[in-house]
Amino acid sequence: MKKKSKIHFEISERKILLRIFDVIFVLGGLQLVSHFLHFDYFQVSEAHWAWIIVLAVYLTVFCTIFELYNLQKTNNYVKVFKNLVLASSVTVLCYLLTPFYTPLLPANRFQIVVFYFTFLGTLVLWRFAYIKFISSPRFYKKVVVVGDSFNIASIAQELETADPNYTVAGYIDTKELDAPNVTRAIPKIKVEALKDYIKKEHIGEVVVSTGYSSGMEKKLYDVLIDLLEVGFPIREYDQVYEELSSKIPVSRLKEDFYKYFPFSRSNHNKLYLFFHRIYDIVFSLIGIILGSLLIPFVFMGNLIGNRGPLFYSQVRVGRHGKHFKIVKLRTMVTNAEAGGAQWAQANDTRITKFGRFLRKTRLDEIPQFYNVLRGDMSVIGPRPERPVFVKELAKEIPFYEIRHVIKPGLTGWAQVSISYGSTIEDSLHKLQYDLYYIKKRGLFLDLRIFLKTLSTVIFFRGQ
C-alpha cells in the first residue's frame, strides 16, 4: 500500500524552522533596507560575519526567553506580536550596547530607528505568515490511535493540547472491535478499513498503546505488520506522549514503571556532574551578591507590607531522602501554620501583599542560593517538599520518592511547565515532569529550564 504524501512538520522541525527563518528574514530585511535606502549601520557580508553571529545568537536567545518558540503560543496573533515587540526591543538594545563584535553606533541616530523597525517588521511579517499558512490545518499531522477500551476523547485532548498541529483523526478499540463509537467527534475505524482510511484521510502515523498489545487480535496485528512492511510509521503511545508533552505518561507510572523509566546517563556522568556543580557554585555566588544588593529594598517592603521576620526556614527532603533546612524570604503572615502544616493554595489568604510580589518575581527564593552553595540543593532539579507532605504523597503515589534520586533545585522542569498545584492530582502531574527531567537530564534540558525560568520571572508567573 502506498500512502498519499502530505506535508507535516514534527515539533522539532517546526522549532528549527522558526529559528532559521527568524534569522533569515531579519538578515534579508536588513540587506534590502541597506540596498534600497541610505542605511549602512548593518550590512550582511563576509567581512562582517561576527556582526551576523552575534545578532543571530541574541535573536534566538531572547525569542526563547519571550516564548516565541513555545508552540502552544505561536498561533495567536496578539500574543505573538506582543512577544515580538519585547524580544525585538531587548535584542536590539543588547546588540547596540555590545562592544567590538557589533557595528559602531551611527552618527545619524535615525539609522537606529530604521534598524529597530526593520528588525521588528520582518519578524512580524514572517511570524504572521507562519500562523496563516504553516500553522493551518493543511499541515496538521493526523494520526490513528490503537488501544484497549481507553478514553479516546481524553487522549486526543492531551495530545492536541501538547501540540496544536497534532490531530487524532480516528481510533481502533482492540478490546471491543464491534462496539459502538464512544465519541462522535473522533470516528471509530474497522480493522479491515484501516488501510483505505489512511489513504483517504492522509494519516501520518499509527500510535499503538503497547500496554495492551497482548490483547490485539490477529487481523489487526496482520494489518499493522503490512503497514510496517511498506514503511508506514507506527509508534508507541508512550514515545509519542513523552515527545509531545515532555512528561512521563501517568498510565505507565501505575504499571511496571521501571520498564519504561531508564535513568539519564547524566545522573552518573562525572564530567556532567562536575560542571553541574561548578555552575551551581557560580550561580549561587552571583545570586547571593545580587540578593545582598536587593535586601535593603526588600527590608523596606517587608516593614510596610509584610511586618514580621524577614527570613524563615523549613525542613525539606533532599537527595536520598535526607532532611535539610531551606531558607526563604517570608511571604506569609507570621502565624500562617499555627494549626499545623498546610498545602499552599493558588490564592492563599495567608500570603501578604508584599509576599505576593516576592512570589511573583521569585525574589523569595534568593536565600536558597545559600542552600545551593552548601550543596543541599542544585540550581535545577525537582522542588524540595516538606517531610510531612512527602509521607502523605508517598502513600498515594508509591513511586513519588523516586524524585529524590537527584538533588532538589531552585527551579525545575515542573515549575516552568505547569501552573501552581495543591492537590494529590496536581502533585502527580508535577511528578510526571520531574521524572521526565530525571530521565532526560542533560546540558540542553538544563539550558531550556534556565531560559524558561527567565520567562517565568519576566512575565511574573511565580506562585
Side-chain angles (χ1 to χ4, degrees):
M1 181 206 75
K2 285 191 175 181
K3 180 177 69 73
K4 291 181 181 178
S5 62
K6 181 184 177 184
I7 298 174
H8 60 259
F9 298 99
E10 304 290 349
I11 288 181
S12 58
E13 292 172 338
R14 272 180 276 128
K15 288 183 177 181
I16 291 172
L17 186 74
L18 287 170
R19 285 181 167 87
I20 291 176
F21 278 90
D22 280 352
V23 175
I24 289 176
F25 267 76
V26 167
L27 295 180
L30 292 172
Q31 183 72 355
L32 288 173
V33 168
S34 64
H35 181 74
F36 291 105
L37 300 178
H38 184 62
F39 175 79
D40 55 11
Y41 170 66
F42 184 97
Q43 295 178 344
V44 179
S45 67
E46 291 184 7
H48 302 136
W49 58 269
W51 297 1
I52 297 171
I53 292 175
V54 173
L55 184 64
V57 169
Y58 279 155
L59 172 61
T60 303
V61 168
F62 289 116
C63 281
T64 301
I65 292 173
F66 289 101
E67 301 181 328
L68 285 162
Y69 302 127
N70 184 334
L71 297 180
Q72 285 82 15
K73 299 180 181 180
T74 54
N75 297 335
N76 184 293
Y77 288 100
V78 175
K79 287 183 179 180
V80 166
F81 180 76
K82 181 188 73 172
N83 290 343
L84 281 175
V85 171
L86 292 171
S88 298
S89 301
V90 177
T91 301
V92 170
L93 179 62
C94 290
Y95 191 77
L96 292 171
L97 296 178
T98 300
F100 308 119
Y101 298 104
T102 60
L104 294 174
L105 292 176
N108 182 358
R109 295 179 184 177
F110 183 70
Q111 295 219 7
I112 296 177
V113 177
V114 173
F115 179 64
Y116 173 75
F117 282 103
T118 301
F119 191 99
L120 175 60
T122 52
L123 281 177
V124 170
L125 178 65
W126 149 238
R127 286 308 188 103
F128 281 17
Y130 172 86
I131 296 173
K132 177 66 176 177
F133 300 107
I134 299 178
S135 287
S136 66
R138 69 171 64 91
F139 290 112
Y140 283 8
K141 184 172 186 177
K142 299 168 74 174
V143 303
V144 170
V145 179
V146 176
D148 181 358
S149 298
F150 52 87
N151 188 341
I152 183 62
S154 176
I155 287 179
Q157 181 180 7
E158 187 79 30
L159 295 178
E160 291 168 9
T161 299
D163 181 2
N165 290 36
Y166 196 91
T167 302
V168 177
Y171 75 99
I172 294 177
D173 191 333
T174 60
K175 186 174 182 180
E176 300 177 10
L177 294 176
D178 297 323
N181 194 358
V182 297
T183 172
R184 294 181 181 178
I186 305 171
K188 182 175 180 178
I189 307 164
K190 293 183 178 180
V191 176
E192 55 271 19
L194 179 58
K195 292 181 181 179
D196 290 335
Y197 190 80
I198 288 173
K199 288 181 182 179
K200 180 183 176 182
E201 298 296 327
H202 304 287
I203 301 300
E205 69 182 12
V206 170
V207 178
V208 180
S209 183
T210 55
Y212 308 106
S213 59
S214 58
M216 192 180 294
E217 288 194 358
K218 186 178 186 305
K219 61 179 180 178
L220 175 57
Y221 183 83
D222 291 340
V223 170
L224 294 181
I225 290 296
D226 289 343
L227 291 173
L228 281 174
E229 286 180 348
V230 296
F232 188 84
I234 299 176
R235 294 201 292 166
E236 281 188 326
Y237 171 72
D238 297 346
Q239 179 187 0
V240 174
Y241 182 95
E242 193 174 306
E243 178 185 298
L244 294 181
S245 64
S246 297
K247 59 184 180 182
I248 305 297
V250 176
S251 59
R252 299 312 185 202
L253 291 178
K254 294 178 180 178
E255 298 175 9
D256 183 12
F257 104 92
Y258 286 101
K259 179 180 177 182
Y260 302 95
F261 192 72
F263 291 117
S264 169
R265 293 181 181 179
S266 295
N267 294 323
H268 303 287
N269 186 310
K270 292 183 180 180
L271 185 62
Y272 168 80
L273 294 176
F274 172 76
F275 282 107
H276 200 275
R277 181 57 185 157
I278 292 296
Y279 73 65
D280 275 351
I281 294 172
V282 170
F283 275 104
S284 60
L285 289 174
I286 294 173
I288 289 172
I289 293 171
L290 294 178
S292 299
L293 297 176
L294 292 173
I295 282 297
F297 302 99
V298 174
F299 181 73
M300 293 299 297
N302 192 70
L303 286 177
I304 297 170
N306 192 22
R307 295 182 179 180
L310 186 60
F311 299 98
Y312 85 102
S313 64
Q314 277 184 341
V315 175
R316 298 289 176 100
V317 179
R319 189 184 182 194
H320 302 321
K322 293 181 180 178
H323 294 184
F324 69 98
K325 277 193 175 182
I326 198 173
V327 183
K328 296 184 72 174
L329 292 173
R330 186 177 57 83
T331 58
M332 292 187 175
V333 295
T334 53
N335 60 345
E337 294 189 328
Q342 303 176 42
W343 286 97
Q345 304 294 324
N347 296 302
D348 204 317
T349 56
R350 297 173 298 165
I351 301 174
T352 64
K353 290 182 178 180
F354 185 65
R356 198 170 302 281
F357 167 77
L358 293 176
R359 289 191 172 212
K360 287 289 184 183
T361 57
R362 293 284 183 97
L363 290 175
D364 64 316
E365 311 284 2
I366 286 179
Q368 291 173 58
F369 281 114
Y370 170 71
N371 293 107
V372 175
L373 190 62
R374 278 177 45 120
D376 299 324
M377 296 174 61
S378 180
V379 172
I380 297 173
R383 286 294 295 155
E385 282 290 357
R386 300 172 67 177
V388 61
F389 295 146
V390 169
K391 285 184 179 180
E392 180 182 341
L393 291 168
K395 290 178 182 177
E396 301 292 333
I397 310 172
F399 37 78
Y400 181 81
E401 291 175 303
I402 296 167
R403 67 201 298 273
H404 299 142
V405 299
I406 63 174
K407 287 182 183 180
L410 271 174
T411 184
W413 189 232
Q415 278 62 46
V416 299
S417 297
I418 55 175
S419 58
Y420 193 86
S422 57
T423 65
I424 298 294
E425 291 74 18
D426 293 332
S427 297
L428 178 58
H429 195 195
K430 287 170 61 179
L431 178 64
Q432 294 176 72
Y433 287 99
D434 287 334
L435 295 183
Y436 179 87
Y437 175 73
I438 295 171
K439 181 177 180 180
K440 301 289 187 178
R441 190 184 186 197
L443 178 62
F444 290 107
L445 183 55
D446 287 343
L447 181 60
R448 285 181 67 188
I449 294 171
F450 176 73
L451 293 176
K452 291 190 76 169
T453 300
L454 293 180
S455 298
T456 301
V457 174
I458 289 170
F459 289 108
F460 293 93
R461 295 203 191 102
Q463 300 288 344

